[in-house]
Amino acid sequence: MTETSESGVMGDRAIISVRNLVKHFPVETGILRRQVGVVKAVDNVNFDLNEGETLALVGESGCGKTTTSHCIIQAQRPTSGQVFFRLGDDEPMDLTQMEKGELKGARRNIRMIYQDPYSSLNPRMTLLQIIGEPLAIHRMVESQEELRVRVADLLRLVRLDPSTLNRYPHAFSGGQRQRIAIARALSLSPKVVIADEAVSALDVSVQAQILNLLKELQHQLGLTYLFVAHNLAVVKYEADRVAVMYAGKIVEIGETEELYTSPRHPYTEALISAAPNPDPDTKHRARIVLAGEVADPGNLPAGCAFHPRCRYAEDRCRQEAPELVDVGGSEGQSHFSACHFAESLELTGIAGGLQSEKRGNE
Amino acid sequence: MTQAAGTAPLDGVPAADQTDQRVLVASQWQLIRWRFFRHKLAVISLVVLGAFYFVAIFAEFVAPYDPTDFREELTLAPPHTIRFVDPDGNFHLRPFVHPFKKTLDSVTYAAIFVEDETVMQPLGLFVRSDPYKLWGLFESEIHLFGLQDPDARLSLLGQDTVGRDLFTRIVYGARISLTIGLVGVAMSFFLGILFGGLSGYLGGTVDMVIQRIIESLRALPTLPLWMALSIALPSDWPVLRTYFAIVIILSTVGWTSIARVVRGRFFALREEDFVGAAELDGASNLRIIFRYLLPSFLSYIIARLTLAIPQMILGETALSFIGLGLQPPAISWGVLLKDAQAIRVLALSPWLLLPTVFVVVTILAFNFVGDGLRDASDPYTHV
Amino acid sequence: MSQSADPDLERHAAVSGGPSDSLLTVRNLQTHFFSREGVVKAVDGVSFDIRPGEILGIAGESGCGKSVTSQSILRILPKNGKIVEGEILFNYGDRTVDLIQEDADGAVLRDIRGKEIAMIFQEPMTAFSPVHTIGDQIIETIRIHQQVSKEEAHEQALEMLRRVGMPSPARNIDQYTFNLSGGMRQRAMVALSLSCRPKLLIADEPTTAVDVTIQAQMLELLRDIQADLGMAIIMITHDLGVIAELTDRVMIMYLGKEVEHGTVEDVFHRPQHPYTRGLLTSIPKMEPGRVEIEPIEGAVPSPYAMPTGCKFHTRCPDYIEGVCEKQDPPLVEVARGHEVSCYLYGGREGLE
Ligand SMILES: Nc1ncnc2c1ncn2[C@@H]1O[C@H](COP(=O)(O)OP(=O)(O)OP(=O)(O)O)[C@@H](O)[C@H]1O
Ligand SMILES: Nc1ncnc2c1ncn2[C@@H]1O[C@H](COP(=O)(O)OP(=O)(O)OP(=O)(O)O)[C@@H](O)[C@H]1O
Ligand code: SF4
Ligand SMILES: [Mg+2]
Ligand SMILES: [Mg+2]
C-alpha cells in the first residue's frame, strides 16, 4: 500500500484516500453487445490527498486521469476499490459504498471544475442562476436577496465584477467563464476541489491568471486540490506533489521539486525531457524521444506497461509488473516509483537536462 | 494578478463595456428573437400566418355570409369585379359591384352571368347580413365587410356548385384546416416528448423497444396508412369526433420524428459537462430535465414543430380531397377542393380551385417561419 | 496605415537584403473578414520574409490571426475573408510572383500549393480522404506535380514514409487513415506534404492536439527533415516552448498585428514589447526551484471591438496615456533584425 496507512484506512494527513481503485470499461461489439474485452482505464490506483495540498495527476491522453477523478467523486462508479473521505476528526466514509442521497452531503465538500469552460456552463442560465444553483439545491439560502448577496460575494472572490450577475455566459471570454466555473465550485465552501484540466483550454496569458487565482483561493480558503493536467510546466508551478499516470496506473508519486529534479521512473524522465521549454538555449540539449505511442489501456502489454517504449527495459520488465514502492526521496520524504530498477537507475530531471544555470539572461 | 483588484479594471469589464449592454443580459429567447427577425421572409410569413389565424378565429365575423346559406340562382357564379368607376365614368370613393343577371346560353343552356350595369351595390364595413353566433356564444348580424344591402350577395371569390359563397367557406374552412395542424402537432409533440424522453433518459431496454416501434411505424408509407385508418372511421360520427379521429391518425407518424429528435438531444445533452455538473450539484432528475435538458432543446423542437405543421395540413387536405377525411357538412380546405374534382367544373369555374392557393400560401409560410426558427434556435453556436 | 508602411518596407529590405535572397516575402498583409456582425481585421498589417532553409515561428494567442496569415499565403481563405492589401512575393522558379495578384484557383497557385508550398494542419484527418489508402494519396500527389511512372512514385512514397519514421512502411502504405494511430497519422500527413519536396512547409499547430511524447517525435522529425531536405518552415503555434525548440526567428502577433520580430534568442532573452514580455512571464518554466509567473491583466478584446491605437494598450503595464491609444505604433528596429511595434522604443515623432 502507498503512503502512511498506519492509522487504519487513511493516511494521517489525508482528506481523501484512494485505495485499490479499479475502473474497467467493457468493450462490446455487435447489436447483441457481446463483450470482447475490457479497457482498464484505472487499474489499481492508490494515493492519499493530504489536507491543504495540491496533488497533481499528470499523464498523457487516455491514461485515466479523468476516470480517476470521476471515480473519486462517484460521477462514475468504480469497478472495485475504495475512496475514503474524512471531514475533520470524523470517521472516514467510503464514498463507493454510499447511495446517491448520502453522497449529496459528501459532494458538498468535494467539488469539480471542468476543462471546457464553454460546455460546463449552461448557456441558458444567468450567472446568478449558475452560481446560485448549488446554494439553491442545498437550501443554503433563505431568500432571493440572500442568494444575490452570496453570488455577488463569490464573483468578487474570483475577481469578476459582481454587477454582472444577470448576464449570461455568452457574454464572457474563456478565462472569465473559467472564473465563473470556479465560483460555482466554491459556492458550497468545499474542502476539496478537483480541477480536471481546468486551465488547458485557456490562452497562456489567461491561463496564468487562473493558475494564480487558484493558488490565492487555496491560501485564502484552505482548499485541497486534486489538479489534473497534462502540461508538466503548469503542474510544476501549481502542485506540491505530483502523481504520474501511465496506462491506468500511477507509476511515480513524489514531492514536485524532487520528482522534477530527480525522477525515479523512466516514463517521468521521458515526459520531462519531452516537455518543450521556452528557452532557446536549451534547443540543442539531448532529448529523450520515446518511440511508439502511449499504451492502449484496452490492450496492455504484459509486465510493465511501459516496457515497449522504455530504454532501460530488460527481460524482467516484460514478464513481471513492478509494484509502486517507496524508494525514498531526499530529506526523508517519501517518493514512490513503479519500476523494477527505480533504485539503481540514474535518471535525468530538469536540473541536468536543461542546464538552466547557463541561461545568462538580462 | 494580485494587482488586478487594485489599479487595473476587473477582468471582464473592459471587454464587456465595449459590447452592446443588451446582448450581455439577453436570455436565450431574446437572442432567438433577434436572430429570427433578421430573416425577412420568415417575418413576412409570420405576419401572413398571423392574419390567417386571426381570420380563422373570427371566421363568423370575417366571413360576409353564412357558409351553409345557398342561393340557387347564383350556382357557380363567378367572382365579382370590385369597381370604383361607374359606367358613366364617375369615380366613387366607396367601391361597389354590379349584381349578376343570369341568362342561359341559347345553345348549351349553360348559365351565363352578366353584370347588371344599371344597378350599383356599394360595399361597406361592419354591415348587416346573415345572423351568426360567434364561437357559439355571441349573437350578431354584423360582419366585417359585405354589401350594404343585406339581401344582395357579394361574390368575392365566386360561388360554389350549390350557390354558397366560396370566400365565406374558405374562411370557415381555415378554422379546421389551420387548427388540425396545430392540434395534430401538439399531439405529436406530446407523444414525441414523452416517448423520446423516456427513450433517451432511461435508455436500455425501454429505449430499444421504443426505437423498434418507431422504426416499424416509419417503415409504413404514410398516405396508405392514413387511408387504411380513416376507412375504419364510422361515417355516421359527428363532425367533431371525426375531426379528432383524423388528428390522431395524422399524428401516428408525426410523433416518431419528434421522438427521435428528443432522444438524440437527450443523449447529446447528457454528455454536456453542465449536465454532469448539475448532477454533482445534487440536482434531482426532475430538476435536471426541466431546468437543463428541456430548455436546451425546446427552441429546437419548436422549430421542428413548425416544420411539421404543414405536413399535417397537407395530410388533412389530401385525405378530405379523396373523400376519406372530413365529410360535408364539415368545412375544410380539403372538403372544398373535393368540389373541384370534376374537369368540367375546373374548365368553367376555375375559382373553385382557390382553396389550393390558401393551402399553398399557408404551407410555404409555415416552412419559411420554420426555417427562420431553426436557424435562430441555437443562438449559442458561434457566440 | 499606408504612411507608416512605406518606411517599413525600406527597413525590411535593408535587413533581409531585399526579396532577392528570400523565398517568401510578405509585405503589409491585411486580411479582413466581412460578416453580419461587422468587419474583423483578422490580419492587419503583417510583414516578414523567410529565406530558403530557414525556420520562422509565428506565435500568439488564440484569434491573433496566425492561421489566417497562412491561409492568406496559400489563398485558401474562407469565402467571407478577403486580402484587402499587401504583397506576398514568392520565388517561383526563376521569377518572383505576387500570390495576391494571382487567381486563387488559377494554374500558378494550383502548382504552388502542394509542390512549392505545402501545409500541415492540426488535425491530420483533414488532409486525407478516408476512402483511399495513404499510399495512393501520396502517389497521386507526387504524380500531379512530377512526370514519373506509377512504380517510381510508389518508390518515392515508400521512401518518404520511411523518412518520417513510419513503422513498417511497406505494410502501412496500404492502410487507410482510420486504421492508423494518431502518431502514425501525423507522420503520414508529414510524408504527404513533403512528398513533392516543397521549398516551404507551413505547419499550423501540428502538435497542439497530440501528447508531449508524440509532440517530441514530431519536432524531432521536422528538425531532421528540414536538415535533410533544406526546406524553409513556417511554424505556427501558441506554444512558446515549441517555438524556442524549433525555430530560428520568430514573429509574435497580437490581434492581427505583428508586435515583435527577431531571432528566437533576441525575442526570448531580450523581449522588448510589453506583450512579449508578458507572455514570457505568463508561462511556467521547466526549471528547478520556484519561478513565479506574472500574468497579463485582462482578456483579449473581442475582434468586433478592437481597441484603437496600439491594440495592446488596454492591457499594457507600460501604457503611455495620450500616446498609445492614438495611432498604431510603427515597427522600430531595436537591434539588428529585431523589430518592435511599441512607442516605448520610438516612433512617436509622427504623432502630434
Ligand atoms: N465510458 C467509457 N467507455 C469506454 N472506455 C472509456 C470510457 N471512458 C473512458 N474510457 C477509456 O478509458 C481510458 C482513460 O480515459 P480518461 O478519460 O480517464 O483519460 P484521461 O487521462 O482523462 O485522458 P485525457 O487527457 O485525454 O482527458 C481511455 O482509454 C478511454 O478511452
Ligand atoms: N471565417 C471567418 N469569419 C469571420 N471571422 C473569422 C473567420 N475565420 C477567422 N476569423 C477571425 O479572424 C481572427 C483570426 O483568426 P485565426 O484563425 O487566424 O486565429 P489563430 O491565431 O489561428 O488562433 P488559434 O490559435 O485559435 O488557431 C479571429 O478573430 C477569428 O475570429
Ligand atoms: S520497469 Fe522496466 S520497463 Fe518499466 S519503466 Fe522500469 S525499466 Fe522501464
Ligand atoms: Mg481527461
Ligand atoms: Mg489557428
Side-chain angles (χ1 to χ4, degrees), chain A residues 23-27 39-42 57-70 76 115 196-197 228-230 245 247-248 295-298, chain B residues 271, chain C residues 211:
Chain A
K23 177 70 184 180
H24 289 178
F25 293 105
V27 182
V39 175
K40 297 180 174 177
V42 176
L57 217 47
V58 290
E60 294 177 278
S61 177
C63 70
K65 307 180 295 291
T66 298
T67 310
T68 304
S69 44
H70 281 180
Q76 287 175 334
Q115 165 169 5
D196 187 358
E197 306 271 11
V228 176
H230 66 266
M245 280 188 87
D296 171 8
Chain B
E271 297 300 306
Chain C
D211 281 322

Side-chain angles (χ1 to χ4, degrees), chain C residues 109-324:
Chain C
L109 269 156
R110 274 209 313 270
D111 191 46
I112 286 178
R113 269 183 226 130
K115 185 171 162 209
E116 306 277 325
I117 307 179
M119 185 148 181
I120 52 180
F121 302 92
Q122 178 170 338
E123 181 40 67
M125 286 303 255
T126 54
F128 285 100
S129 140
V131 296
H132 299 289
T133 65
I134 55 168
D136 284 349
Q137 296 181 60
I138 297 178
I139 291 168
E140 196 192 320
T141 316
I142 293 176
R143 296 194 65 206
I144 288 175
H145 295 293
Q146 292 174 36
Q147 250 49 58
V148 292
S149 70
K150 226 173 181 155
E151 290 68 40
E152 214 168 312
H154 189 270
E155 264 324 293
Q156 286 189 22
L158 256 185
E159 169 59 22
M160 200 42 85
L161 284 175
R162 202 168 294 130
R163 236 201 192 118
V164 298
M166 171 74 73
S168 33
R171 190 166 50 85
N172 280 329
I173 194 168
D174 294 324
Q175 292 288 346
Y176 295 89
T177 35
F178 52 84
N179 287 329
L180 299 177
S181 69
M184 293 209 281
R185 264 185 223 148
Q186 293 271 7
R187 283 164 192 277
M189 176 177 61
V190 175
L192 174 68
S193 53
L194 297 184
S195 53
C196 285
R197 311 267 173 132
K199 297 204 190 76
L200 175 64
L201 175 70
I202 302 179
D204 191 354
E205 310 259 9
T207 63
T208 303
V210 302
D211 281 322
V212 265
T213 58
I214 308 291
Q215 168 171 302
Q217 291 171 4
M218 272 297 276
L219 294 181
E220 193 85 353
L221 176 66
L222 286 176
R223 215 177 279 127
D224 287 351
I225 295 225
Q226 195 269 340
D228 234 22
L229 305 179
M231 67 193 167
I233 298 179
I234 297 181
M235 181 72 182
I236 295 175
T237 175
H238 64 270
D239 187 337
L240 293 176
V242 170
I243 297 275
E245 300 248 311
L246 189 71
T247 65
D248 306 319
R249 281 193 303 138
V250 59
M251 177 171 88
I252 310 280
M253 290 182 69
Y254 185 75
L255 282 181
K257 289 271 179 198
E258 169 184 4
V259 296
E260 186 158 0
H261 185 155
T263 62
V264 253
E265 287 77 16
D266 276 345
V267 172
F268 279 68
H269 293 328
R270 290 169 288 280
Q272 302 296 311
H273 197 282
Y275 176 64
T276 317
R277 280 190 262 145
L279 269 188
L280 285 168
T281 56
S282 293
I283 11 177
K285 312 276 183 314
M286 287 288 281
E287 279 162 25
R290 278 241 68 87
V291 188
E292 286 307 320
I293 58 175
E294 254 180 74
I296 304 172
E297 304 298 346
V300 179
S302 148
Y304 299 103
M306 280 282 203
T308 56
C310 171
K311 303 275 175 282
F312 188 60
H313 85 258
T314 52
R315 304 170 73 191
C316 183
D318 302 315
Y319 162 56
I320 315 165
E321 217 181 319
V323 175
C324 297

